[in-house]
Amino acid sequence: MTLYEFMRWATFPLMPTHLNVVRKDLIRLVKAKAGSGNGLHILDVGGRKSPYTINLNAQVTILDIPQESETQEQLHLGFTSEMPTFIETKRSNIQGMIIEDMTQCTLASASYDAVVSVEVIEHVVEDDMFVKNISDVLKNGGWAYFTTPNGDFIKNEGPDKNPDHVRHYTKQELQTLLEKYFTKVDVHYAVKTGKYRVWGLQSFKKGNPLTLFKSVTGNIINKFQSQGVEHSSYGTAHLIAIAYK
């Protein structure tokens, strides 16, 4: 474990609820798939510097597109020239990095035991090809883990529209898409919306103890608020899908 990984691990309980839900799910899935996780190979699509696969007991390959547009830069999307060096020095479970668009995938079929795609599919125009290629690189018996905004409640329109989001899926829309390429699909809601979630999403800023206090307090409260919301379409921020091949 590197110092960076240790510091991220130590602060996970104080981080936003979505991060903790994803981490808990991935740890459970890795253990269920391969016991201790030794030898498990995961493709992290859109992973960049994301914390979701840090310290997972598996070998991780990160795949992402290059950062080419101003919108990508503003939203911190895609690989920059500095990221490979950062990842190599900060992460201990990274097996490789691939700069590629998953909709134009050149990876061999049945290459990975699992695929993780956190808050990515809403950015993809060719979502059918995206899901098809994810299914294709999975070995039989493997799983894919997706998260995306909850389109049953959060509409990507109006003054708060995210310019890089193509669509927000309803639960049924995501279920239908994934069932085209996977034999078993579970889609459910996650993370209670509201004031405390917004507090928790504020960046921790050195020298600003009030912001730090609000962020930590918001995340702790929101974690408790978000228990038992799996079937709540109203007032939840995310959809989580686990698809088995």
Side-chain angles (χ1 to χ4, degrees):
M1 183 186 296
T2 67
L3 177 60
Y4 171 80
E5 289 173 321
F6 174 79
M7 293 302 296
R8 293 305 302 252
W9 172 81
T11 57
F12 278 147
L14 306 179
M15 293 293 108
T17 303
H18 178 255
L19 169 58
N20 282 282
V21 169
V22 173
R23 288 279 304 171
K24 183 179 178 181
D25 284 346
L26 293 182
I27 290 170
R28 172 179 57 82
L29 288 165
V30 166
K31 288 182 177 179
K33 177 64 178 173
S36 64
N38 293 329
L40 194 71
H41 291 87
I42 295 177
L43 181 66
D44 189 348
V45 178
R48 302 184 316 279
K49 292 168 63 177
S50 73
Y52 304 101
T53 57
I54 287 177
N55 292 341
L56 280 185
N57 197 9
Q59 291 300 308
V60 178
T61 297
I62 295 176
L63 181 148
D64 210 333
I65 59 176
Q67 186 181 103
E68 297 176 326
S69 70
E70 184 176 339
T71 299
Q72 285 178 305
E73 182 178 359
Q74 292 172 347
L75 299 174
H76 307 292
L77 302 174
F79 266 124
T80 65
S81 58
E82 298 83 12
M83 281 185 186
T85 300
F86 174 89
I87 293 168
E88 288 174 354
T89 57
K90 302 294 186 181
R91 296 285 302 275
S92 62
N93 65 345
I94 300 301
Q95 186 180 52
M97 287 170 277
I98 301 169
I99 300 179
E100 183 172 278
D101 187 332
M102 196 65 200
T103 65
Q104 302 172 27
C105 180
T106 61
L107 299 173
S109 297
S111 301
Y112 295 93
D113 300 294
V115 176
V116 174
S117 178
V118 176
E119 301 300 292
V120 175
I121 194 171
E122 65 272 11
H123 298 272
V124 181
V125 175
E126 298 178 87
D127 58 340
D128 190 278
M129 183 61 68
F130 181 80
V131 174
K132 179 181 182 297
N133 287 344
I134 285 177
S135 175
D136 187 57
V137 301
L138 271 178
K139 299 175 182 177
N140 286 332
W143 51 262
Y145 184 93
F146 302 86
T147 83
T148 191
N150 171 19
D152 284 311
F153 182 67
I154 298 176
K155 309 300 180 183
N156 194 39
E157 55 194 25
D160 297 323
K161 177 180 172 64
N162 188 316
D164 203 54
H165 284 194
V166 178
R167 70 189 69 76
H168 285 185
Y169 298 85
T170 66
K171 178 182 176 181
Q172 187 57 57
E173 287 171 342
L174 187 58
Q175 181 92 25
T176 300
L177 173 61
L178 296 179
E179 284 179 345
K180 291 178 65 175
Y181 300 105
F182 292 91
T183 58
K184 179 183 176 183
V185 177
D186 168 46
V187 182
H188 57 270
Y189 302 102
V191 185
K192 180 71 174 176
T193 58
K195 175 177 69 176
Y196 294 111
R197 174 176 176 269
V198 173
W199 283 13
L201 293 176
Q202 297 181 74
S203 299
F204 291 178
K205 296 180 180 178
K206 295 180 180 179
N208 191 333
L210 178 59
T211 298
L212 176 61
F213 173 79
K214 288 185 68 173
S215 294
V216 172
T217 301
N219 286 331
I220 292 173
I221 295 174
N222 187 236
K223 181 165 63 175
F224 286 101
Q225 289 180 323
S226 299
Q227 294 178 3
V229 299
E230 292 82 2
H231 303 291
S232 300
S233 61
Y234 182 83
T236 45
H238 298 278
L239 292 173
I240 290 178
I242 307 172
Y244 299 89
K245 184 173 178 179

